Amino acid sequence: MRRFLAAVVLLTLPSTALAQTPCLKRAEAEAITLVALPDIILETGRVCTSLPATSLVRRTSGPFLDRYQAEADRAWPAARAAIAKLSDPRVSMLLLQSEYARPLITALIAPQIVGRVQTSDCGTIDRLVTLLEPLSPRNIAGIVVASLQHLKSEKARGTAAVRDVPDLPVCSAAER
């Protein structure tokens, strides 16, 4: 099964024949973010076991996660199109139409993001999630994408503090 998943991932990566990977516009990046957020929240809860079980990121069900799941469901068609934009066109649409595409994609994204979380970060994450909880999932996705755009522009300027930020295919704020 893991070999199959690895093969699928390789097929969805941009083709080396493409001259340049296109960037995702704000709405496209927000759609992908919305689709990934429920799994990112759940994965964060698995990492942050030192937090109380009542912490929003530790909850495995309930109204908080239900809101994010509902928005993820609504965002999936736009996210699928955005992922296709970044993928090899010869295989992306066939793969992305599969019922396995979404869980596979979120299973790849969430650990990559949450894998950077240190247990010492969990208190800060808990505080941030608690403060942001009243906002809609769409607003949270917008904050995430705006932050990524800002980090990308800072990295392009050579800011040392963001040197290790991965190169993400998010358009700069000017390219929206």
Side-chain angles (χ1 to χ4, degrees), residues 1 4-9 12 35 39 76 80 83 91-109:
M1 181 66 169
F4 170 75
L5 294 177
V8 169
V9 171
T12 60
V35 167
D39 287 307
W76 175 238
R80 181 174 43 215
I83 293 164
V91 294
S92 65
M93 286 316 293
L94 179 63
L95 175 66
L96 288 171
Q97 295 305 321
S98 163
E99 65 185 83
Y100 302 108
R102 182 173 164 188
L104 173 64
I105 290 166
T106 58
L108 292 170
I109 293 173

Side-chain angles (χ1 to χ4, degrees), residues 48-97:
C48 292
T49 57
S50 62
L51 294 174
T54 56
S55 167
L56 289 172
V57 296
R58 291 282 316 279
R59 296 180 191 170
T60 58
S61 64
F64 176 69
L65 270 173
D66 290 347
R67 283 183 19 220
Y68 280 86
Q69 192 59 56
E71 284 298 327
D73 293 343
R74 281 191 278 281
W76 175 238
R80 181 174 43 215
I83 293 164
K85 178 179 175 179
L86 298 175
S87 303
D88 186 326
R90 296 170 294 173
V91 294
S92 65
M93 286 316 293
L94 179 63
L95 175 66
L96 288 171
Q97 295 305 321

Side-chain angles (χ1 to χ4, degrees), residues 23-30 33 141-157 162 165-166 168-176:
C23 66
L24 295 174
K25 300 211 180 294
R26 181 181 62 224
E28 295 167 327
E30 287 176 9
T33 301
I143 290 169
V144 168
V145 171
S147 298
L148 291 173
Q149 289 174 317
H150 173 72
L151 291 171
K152 184 175 183 170
S153 67
E154 287 299 308
K155 185 174 182 177
R157 280 192 272 245
V162 295
V165 171
L168 301 170
V170 178
C171 301
S172 69
E175 297 174 292
R176 300 184 228 190

